Each structure stands twice: as C-alpha cells, then as structure tokens.
C-alpha cells in the first residue's frame, strides 16, 4: 500500500503539509483514503460469507440510542436486480454487480415495538425520527462500504434509489414507515478498468475550528470563491488525466444539479411518498 502522505495528496489532488504521524502504516486509514466509486465489476459471485460479514460491519456502526432504525435488502437475483436497476436510474453497473444492497430508513420495527408494549409511539410522527433513521442507514452504509473495500471488493453508492421511491417501495414490498434512502452496488473490481481516487474540496473549505469561519485570504478578504476556483482547477486536471473531455467545472456542474425541479430526477416527490408510507414528519 502507498504511504499515508501520498494517499492524502491523491485525495486532495495537490501537495499538502499534513503530518501523518501515528497514522503512517495504519491499514484502516489507508483503506479509507483510497476509497473510490467502482462501477466496473467482474462477472463473479462474491466469496461465501461476504454478505454476512459486510452486514455485520454495517451493524457495528453507531446508532442513536441503540434504536437501530434501519434495515437493508440484499438483491442478488439477476431478474430482481434488473427491475431495481431500472427504477434506480437504469444504471447498468447495478445489474452487473453481484450484490446490490438497498439501505432503508425503518421505523416499522419501532412502531411494532410500541404496539407490543401498549405505548403510543407518538415520537415516531416527528421529522427527528426520519432524520435519525436516515442517519443510521447512512452510517451503516459507510461501514458496509469500508468492510467491502477491506475485503478487496469495490462499491458504488446509488442515490438514484430515491428517483422513483414509490415504485421501488412496491417492488421491494416495503411495509409502512420504511423507505429506501440509497443503494450500494458491490462486487469484485475489474482490474482492466481501474479508477483513480477523485480529489475532494480543499480541507480549508470544509474544516471550521471552534466556530463557523468565514474563509479569508492573506488579505483578510473572503476566500471561499478562491477555494472553489482552486478546486475547479484541481478537478479539471484530474478529469484530463482520466481522459474525460467536456466535463463542466465542479461549481458549474453542482449548480446545474440543483437548478430546477427536473434536475432532482424525480426525487421532488419524496415528501409526498414519505407521507403515503406513514412518515408523518411533524
């Protein structure tokens, strides 16, 4: 494995002066820093036991008050996976991945626990609980991703699981108060189609110490624009190295992604679907 300093430089796309210190040689840190989305998989099944290990790692994630307000569906049947892929942006890599996990915010379990003990479960009617369930699912998904990568597998998150939420819920036969929040395609990487680590925003743009800081440059002038311009250049250099032509600057692409209702790719109906599924969101 590469040294930590090299991995950090790859993560930001530019040299850094970070001190690796005790992290040097730490395999966990190395795995985290080498994360990249993998959409090219070999046509092979996962080694026996992989699913169970990955889910055990997911269940090892932190969960608010130990309420464990998430569940996951594992899709391996090609026909079922094909139908799910159609509803999740019609993305071919989902079909080719031997395992497609769909992580759900799940308040059905607590609804039934409330009924079991003759309690009202009024708290389940508030937005806080849907947020908690979504966060729990996200934490579990990240643990699952790290576990898969530690096993030498590749993974790619699928936010398009929210593109057609009602239809996906019907396909998966989700009960009330359960909704898919994202998918995760997992498989063996195709070594002939390796992908590079994509640089992230400069750390000075996202890290605030003690209180929210208005970014300033050496002349005490607001510098967020400078940070974003710097990142546009960094990502353009990365795309050129990957031979990706005609890719808009990150700022432009991001602005386009949120410009209109249409740019949400169907996700604008999510609140209505949540209400139909029994999420009251008071």
């Amino acid at each position: 494995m590469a040294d930590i300093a090299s991995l950090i430089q790859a993560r930001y796309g530019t040299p850094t002066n970070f001190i690796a210190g005790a992290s040097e040689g730490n395999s966990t840190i190395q795995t985290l820093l080498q994360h990249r989305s993998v959409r090219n998989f070999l046509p092979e099944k996962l080694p026996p036991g992989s699913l169970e290990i990955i889910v055990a790692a997911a269940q090892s994630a932190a969960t608010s008050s130990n309420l464990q307000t998430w569940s996951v569906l594992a899709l391996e049947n090609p026909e079922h996976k094909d139908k799910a892929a159609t509803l999740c942006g019609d993305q071919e890599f989902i079909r080719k991945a031997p395992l497609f996990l769909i992580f759900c915010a799940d308040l059905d379990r607590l609804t039934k626990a409330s009924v079991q003990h003759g309690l009202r479960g009024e708290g389940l009617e508030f937005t806080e609980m849907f947020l908690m369930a979504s966060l729990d699912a996200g934490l579990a998904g990240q643990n699952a991703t790290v576990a898969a990568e530690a096993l030498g597998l590749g993974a790619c998150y699928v936010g398009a699981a929210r593109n057609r939420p009602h239809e996906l819920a019907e396909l998966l036969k989700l009960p009330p108060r359960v909704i898919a929040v994202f998918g995760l395609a997992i498989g063996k990487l195709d070594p002939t189609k390796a992908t590079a680590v994509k640089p992230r925003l400069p750390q000075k743009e996202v890290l605030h110490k003690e209180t929210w800081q208005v970014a300033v440059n050496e002349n005490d002038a607001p510098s967020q624009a400078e940070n974003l311009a710097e990142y546009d250049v960094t990502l353009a250099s990365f795309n050129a190295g990957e031979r990706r032509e005609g890719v808009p600057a990150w700022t432009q692409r991001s602005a386009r992604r949120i410009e209109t209702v249409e740019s949400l790719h169907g996700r604008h109906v999510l609140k209505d679907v949540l209400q139909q599924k029994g999420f009251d969101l008071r």
Side-chain angles (χ1 to χ4, degrees):
M1 276 192 172
D3 63 273
I4 297 295
S6 297
L7 294 175
I8 290 175
Q9 180 171 330
R11 176 53 68 199
Y12 291 106
T14 57
T16 66
N17 57 359
F18 297 170
I19 299 173
S23 65
E24 196 60 66
N26 185 301
S27 61
T28 301
I29 299 297
Q30 290 172 331
T31 297
L32 290 168
L33 291 173
Q34 292 184 97
H35 168 73
R36 77 285 309 275
S37 295
V38 173
R39 295 179 177 84
N40 296 294
F41 303 106
L42 294 175
E44 300 178 13
K45 293 184 177 180
L46 300 185
S50 297
L51 171 60
E52 291 74 17
I53 292 296
I54 289 169
V55 174
Q59 289 190 273
S60 298
T63 171
S64 183
S65 301
N66 197 34
L67 293 179
Q68 305 178 67
T69 51
W70 66 278
S71 290
V72 62
L73 291 94
L75 279 59
E76 297 176 289
N77 178 283
E79 291 184 6
H80 198 201
K81 200 146 43 71
D82 174 63
K83 292 178 181 178
T86 299
L87 299 177
C88 295
D90 201 21
Q91 300 178 85
E92 192 61 27
F93 73 88
I94 297 174
R95 298 183 177 91
K96 293 184 176 179
L99 175 64
F100 185 45
L101 299 178
I102 299 179
F103 285 82
C104 297
D106 178 2
L107 298 183
D108 174 66
R109 187 181 298 115
L110 292 182
T111 299
K112 291 175 179 175
S114 297
V115 172
Q116 176 186 345
H117 292 282
L119 298 174
R120 292 181 297 169
E122 185 178 359
L124 295 171
E125 299 175 5
F126 288 82
T127 302
E128 154 64 13
M129 291 305 301
F130 174 68
L131 178 60
M132 177 193 294
S134 299
L135 290 170
D136 270 8
L139 292 170
Q142 182 63 12
N143 262 30
T145 300
V146 174
E149 292 174 344
L151 293 172
L153 304 172
C156 184
Y157 283 95
V158 180
R162 301 187 300 278
N163 282 15
R164 296 163 71 177
H166 182 71
E167 293 165 272
L168 186 60
E170 288 188 335
L171 174 69
L172 301 176
K173 300 180 180 180
L174 301 183
R177 289 184 170 172
V178 177
I179 195 78
V181 288
F182 61 88
L184 187 65
I186 298 176
K188 292 184 179 180
L189 300 78
D190 183 343
T192 67
K193 299 178 180 178
T195 56
V197 170
K198 183 179 291 185
R200 297 294 198 239
L201 285 163
Q203 195 171 107
K204 59 188 176 182
E205 174 58 27
V206 303
L207 174 62
H208 301 261
K209 296 183 178 180
E210 308 301 341
T211 60
W212 189 274
Q213 302 295 311
V214 176
V216 295
N217 60 22
E218 58 185 10
N219 298 316
D220 291 331
S223 63
Q224 183 175 67
E226 295 176 4
N227 292 340
L228 298 185
E230 174 187 322
Y231 185 58
D232 277 345
V233 171
T234 297
L235 208 54
S237 177
F238 170 81
N239 287 328
E242 293 291 294
R243 297 181 179 179
R244 297 174 181 168
E245 298 180 357
V247 179
W250 180 84
T251 48
Q252 182 182 21
R253 179 180 179 276
S254 299
R256 286 179 177 175
R257 174 64 179 77
I258 56 173
E259 183 182 12
T260 65
V261 169
E262 289 74 22
S263 65
L264 294 177
H265 303 291
R267 302 179 201 183
H268 62 287
V269 304
L270 186 57
K271 183 178 179 180
D272 292 337
V273 175
L274 286 171
Q275 291 174 337
Q276 293 167 15
K277 293 292 293 177
F279 291 90
D280 297 296
L281 303 183
R282 285 204 269 159

